[in-house]
Amino acid sequence: MSVSADPVKLMKQEVGKAAAALVKSNSIVGLGTGSTTAYTIQFLGDRLKSGELKDIVGIPTSFQSEVLAKQYGVPLTTLDAIDHIDIAIDGADEVDPLKNLIKGGGAAHTREKVVDYLAKEFIVVVDSGKLVDRLGSSFAVPVEVIPMAITPVINAIKKLGGQPELRMGVKKAGPVITDQGNMVVDVTFEKIDDPVTLETTLNNIPGVLENGIFVNCVSQVLIGEVIDGKPSVRQM
Ligand code: 5RP
């Protein structure tokens, strides 16, 4: 694996690699989405190729992780074919001191939640810039909405005190469309005091498929840092 000179990339590379090193042979692995877990998938492929790791199968959380797994030679399966997931490794957009998360920067939070919540061990991989005192400090809450319900859902979110913004595509005219064919509304709240309740409240709006607040599900957070120019990884 080539090593990057960009400090953020370097942190992501190191932490992604550290998480991949936790995967044991003969295990079923949830493959997260994003630029950090891309390094995890790449390193899992390297470990399989060298023979150090054997007989793993991955469950992708998005088209992105499916494509990467195929590219790096990580065999895949589906949730229909297995009865458990040993370990899931995924990124996050924010992590609070209680290890609650905001996810969905890549609009993959619905599949990510299914896979990450099923895993016996859920490892989160972030660079140190993702740590916050309170969720919602720097990142809006992504909410996946079925297209026919977009207007009533936006109105309901405004009534809750949120500021919703339909996520628009980059290098694609119009809104982002998820792997499930839905849209994403990014919701800014003045402050999120109770993420547990907010997760449920948002999901109870008819037309909402899933939101990006992940609570009480994380086993371990690995944090990539650059200290004195050198990359290091610590546990939260
Ligand atoms: C995708 C996600 C990602 O895991 C999250 O956005 C972090 O991504 P990155 O590792 O690129 O910073 O939730 O929906």
Side-chain angles (χ1 to χ4, degrees):
M1 184 159 82
S2 65
V3 176
S4 169
D6 171 334
V8 175
K9 261 197 187 167
L10 200 57
M11 289 192 271
K12 288 180 186 240
Q13 228 165 26
E14 287 301 304
V15 76
K17 195 171 156 179
L22 297 176
V23 173
K24 298 188 177 90
S25 293
N26 299 303
S27 57
I28 302 173
V29 187
L31 304 173
T33 299
S35 53
T36 317
T37 48
Y39 292 117
T40 303
I41 297 169
Q42 187 177 351
F43 191 59
L44 284 175
D46 289 350
R47 290 186 65 204
L48 285 168
K49 237 175 267 159
S50 73
E52 178 202 321
L53 185 66
K54 288 184 177 51
D55 299 323
I56 67 161
V57 280
I59 305 276
T61 54
S62 61
F63 288 149
Q64 184 214 29
S65 52
E66 188 177 330
V67 166
L68 288 171
K70 285 177 183 163
Q71 184 180 337
Y72 294 115
V74 178
L76 293 174
T77 189
T78 65
L79 291 178
D80 297 325
I82 50 120
D83 62 1
H84 72 282
I85 297 174
D86 294 293
I87 183 169
I89 299 168
D90 210 343
D93 301 297
E94 282 190 348
V95 183
D96 80 5
L98 295 175
K99 298 182 187 156
N100 296 319
L101 316 174
I102 291 183
K103 287 184 50 54
H109 52 280
T110 300
R111 290 191 194 196
E112 291 176 323
K113 200 177 271 191
V114 172
V115 172
D116 297 344
Y117 275 50
L118 275 174
K120 287 183 191 163
E121 206 183 350
F122 174 25
I123 311 293
V124 174
V125 284
V126 288
D127 57 82
S128 53
K130 306 284 185 70
L131 304 180
V132 294
D133 290 334
R134 187 202 291 260
L135 290 185
S137 309
S138 58
F139 207 85
V141 179
V143 179
E144 180 164 356
V145 182
I146 65 169
M148 61 80 77
I150 201 80
T151 301
V153 168
I154 281 177
N155 290 338
I157 285 171
K158 282 182 184 161
K159 272 193 197 144
L160 288 176
Q163 283 184 326
E165 193 181 327
L166 186 63
R167 191 181 297 182
M168 302 307 278
V170 177
K171 290 197 178 176
K172 186 258 180 198
V176 164
I177 302 297
T178 67
D179 291 358
Q180 291 71 241
N182 297 313
M183 295 182 189
V184 174
V185 177
D186 290 306
V187 187
T188 306
F189 290 94
E190 205 170 303
K191 59 183 181 145
I192 300 176
D193 285 326
D194 182 354
V196 177
T197 303
L198 185 59
E199 186 202 12
T200 309
T201 306
L202 288 169
N203 280 356
N204 280 342
I205 302 171
V208 169
L209 179 61
E210 190 51 83
N211 71 79
I213 299 176
F214 285 44
V215 290
N216 302 325
C217 57
V218 173
S219 314
Q220 201 183 125
V221 180
L222 295 181
I223 303 160
E225 292 175 313
V226 174
I227 299 169
D228 297 333
K230 286 196 188 123
S232 68
V233 175
R234 69 174 165 95
Q235 267 189 48
M236 186 169 170

